[in-house]
Amino acid sequence: MSSTKVEFPGSQDASLAGRLDLPDGQVRAMALFAHCFTCGKDVVAASRIAKALNARGIGVLRFDFTGLGSSEGDFAHTNFTSNIEDLRRAADFLRERHTAPTLLIGHSLGGAAVLATAAHVPEARAVVTIAAPADTDHLVHLLSDSLDDIEAAGEAEVCLADRPFRIQRQFLDDLADQPQAERIRNLGRALLVMHSPTDETVDVDNARRIFEAARHPKSFVSVDGANHLLTGPADARFAADVIAAWVERYLDADDSPASGEVEDGSVVVAETSVGHLTQRITVGGHELVADEPTPLGDDTGPSPYDLVLAGLGACTSMTLRMYADRKQWPLERVTVSLNHSRIHAEDCADCETRTGHLDHVERTITLEGDLDDDQRERLLSIADKCPVHRTLNSEVVIATTLVTP
């Protein structure tokens, strides 16, 4: 395996420090690991689990939450919601640099965080919790000795894991607003719950509550005799081996065709098991997600019209770039902004259709560089010659065939 230090912006736009563990051979899938409250990415459970998953071709990203470990930011200004956003940013980092995480793993409060984040990572097919609380009220209980001070002064210094931390009232208010039971019930992924019956920090009854709230497929594995942090080498190794074996069942459970099965130039769109309208789009070796904004959809990806505008914008920018390069013009950067709306045909002076409604696309092009007026005017006219623009303006025939599975 190879382990590389990485950085990406977190919930407060502060730089988060991560470690990307990749197998030596082909990467079959990626996992995202969330550590326990006040812990860090290098906790023994995280490193051993990463090593076991690497041995099976699964890469792992583990990182320090905002204000912890080597990450920047102020811990006192963080809360459970910011932890969720940190995880979303980490998933975005994997999606942009490698591939979106198939597996989400969370230890202790990190387990509660991945249960809450799963809805925002449509590519994730499986979730693992280790010694996780069933709800965020458990953390309030751990802070019970300092609650009066926090309420009175707005914040207080507390001692957790023999280290001082500043906790603000907003942290407690945020914990009280977390609908964990609903999130677990609507998880929509395979779930593995791991817990030690002798855990003195998070009682094993939390595992029962998580397991009962979740829908199938779900599994429970007892890490008998382990402590909360799995500091025993045998305990961490056992948890790692079980997770690596369990997730095998879900690595190839993709409900869209493999990239090799999609013909060149073809696009395949299939429903996912995540959300009500979420779609997985396969284009060659690339995957995208489409959805509708709430409340109609779950807002896990751009809408179909967003994707149409994105195609037009990308084609416009590429066309202008290729033309300027061919002419050796000093075009430094192209930015295309687009909006779609419906207008009355009678309000369009240049349209042939005079009744009903029309689709209206506003396209704004920004050209950066030392271009003269003639060059800018020429590039503006070239924008209308981009292939997608021509397609949208031409007569399009769509032939639909129903295929029996």
Side-chain angles (χ1 to χ4, degrees):
M1 59 176 283
S2 64
S3 187
T4 306
K5 292 182 179 180
V6 297
E7 291 184 355
F8 54 91
S11 57
Q12 299 177 1
D13 288 329
S15 179
L16 301 187
R19 186 168 290 278
L20 186 62
D21 301 308
L22 297 176
D24 292 332
Q26 182 179 0
V27 179
R28 299 172 57 200
M30 294 299 300
L32 178 58
F33 188 100
H35 60 70
C36 53
F37 185 59
T38 73
C39 295
K41 64 182 180 302
D42 299 316
V43 66
V44 63
S47 59
R48 290 189 180 275
I49 288 171
K51 184 176 181 180
L53 292 176
N54 279 182
R56 295 179 182 250
I58 303 171
V60 179
L61 173 62
R62 42 195 172 105
F63 69 97
D64 295 327
F65 285 105
T66 298
L68 292 174
S70 302
S71 290
E72 297 176 353
D74 186 354
F75 177 81
H77 293 158
T78 66
N79 49 41
F80 191 72
T81 298
S82 72
N83 287 348
I84 296 173
E85 181 60 24
D86 282 348
L87 280 166
R88 292 182 64 174
R89 299 286 188 93
D92 289 342
F93 172 81
L94 284 178
R95 188 180 292 111
E96 294 169 2
R97 298 294 183 88
H98 296 276
T99 185
T102 299
L103 173 64
L104 305 179
I105 308 172
H107 185 190
S108 190
L109 190 67
V114 296
L115 289 170
T117 307
H120 305 291
V121 187
E123 300 91 343
R125 302 172 201 151
V127 176
V128 178
T129 64
I130 306 169
D135 54 51
T136 51
D137 289 341
H138 174 80
L139 190 54
V140 177
H141 175 71
L142 292 180
L143 301 172
S144 58
D145 293 340
S146 304
L147 291 181
D148 290 342
D149 293 338
I150 296 173
E151 288 293 339
E155 66 177 74
E157 185 173 281
V158 301
C159 186
L160 298 168
D162 298 324
R163 294 158 56 199
F165 295 92
R166 295 209 69 80
I167 300 294
Q168 296 182 345
R169 185 186 294 117
Q170 61 86 19
F171 184 92
L172 302 178
D173 294 340
D174 183 75
L175 290 177
D177 290 336
Q178 302 300 324
Q180 282 298 99
E182 180 182 350
R183 288 165 171 165
I184 297 170
R185 186 167 54 252
N186 298 322
L187 185 63
R189 277 88 168 167
L191 174 65
L192 171 61
V193 180
M194 305 189 76
H195 216 109
S196 168
T198 55
D199 190 331
E200 296 182 354
T201 303
V202 179
D203 189 270
V204 71
D205 189 60
N206 285 271
R208 176 191 62 79
R209 291 163 57 196
I210 293 174
F211 188 81
E212 290 181 352
R215 297 188 173 102
H216 284 290
K218 56 183 177 178
S219 307
F220 172 77
V221 173
S222 173
V223 191
D224 191 23
N227 60 24
H228 180 66
L229 295 180
L230 301 184
T231 53
D235 298 327
R237 190 180 308 113
F238 170 77
D241 290 343
V242 168
I243 294 171
W246 175 83
V247 76
E248 283 283 344
R249 189 174 190 88
Y250 304 102
L251 290 185
D252 300 319
D254 194 352
D255 51 12
S256 67
S259 59
E261 297 175 358
V262 180
E263 297 179 0
D264 291 342
S266 296
V267 176
V268 176
V269 181
E271 287 187 318
T272 71
S273 58
V274 182
H276 178 56
L277 296 175
T278 308
Q279 310 290 316
R280 179 177 289 115
I281 305 170
T282 304
V283 188
H286 308 284
E287 283 194 356
L288 305 171
V289 174
D291 204 340
E292 288 285 356
T294 55
L296 185 61
D298 297 287
D299 200 24
T300 58
S303 72
Y305 274 108
D306 291 337
L307 293 172
V308 171
L309 293 182
L312 174 59
C315 182
T316 301
S317 181
M318 292 175 185
T319 300
L320 297 183
R321 168 55 57 197
M322 289 188 291
Y323 187 86
D325 287 350
R326 189 166 63 248
K327 293 289 187 177
Q328 296 184 337
W329 288 351
L331 175 62
E332 296 178 1
R333 182 183 175 89
V334 181
T335 303
V336 184
S337 301
L338 303 106
N339 289 284
H340 170 261
S341 61
R342 297 277 288 172
I343 63 172
H344 292 286
E346 60 189 25
D347 295 331
C348 180
D350 299 326
C351 299
E352 295 181 3
T353 303
R354 305 310 303 166
T355 60
H357 290 82
L358 297 172
D359 287 281
H360 179 70
V361 175
E362 290 188 6
R363 179 175 58 182
T364 303
I365 301 174
T366 303
L367 303 175
E368 299 177 32
D370 189 19
L371 300 164
D372 59 36
D373 292 342
D374 290 340
Q375 289 170 334
R376 291 178 180 275
E377 286 298 321
R378 181 56 180 162
L379 287 170
L380 180 61
S381 66
I382 291 298
D384 291 345
K385 300 182 183 300
C386 107
V388 173
H389 182 113
R390 289 180 170 179
T391 298
L392 292 175
N393 275 337
S394 65
E395 182 178 357
V396 178
V397 178
I398 301 176
T400 303
T401 303
L402 181 63
V403 178
T404 303

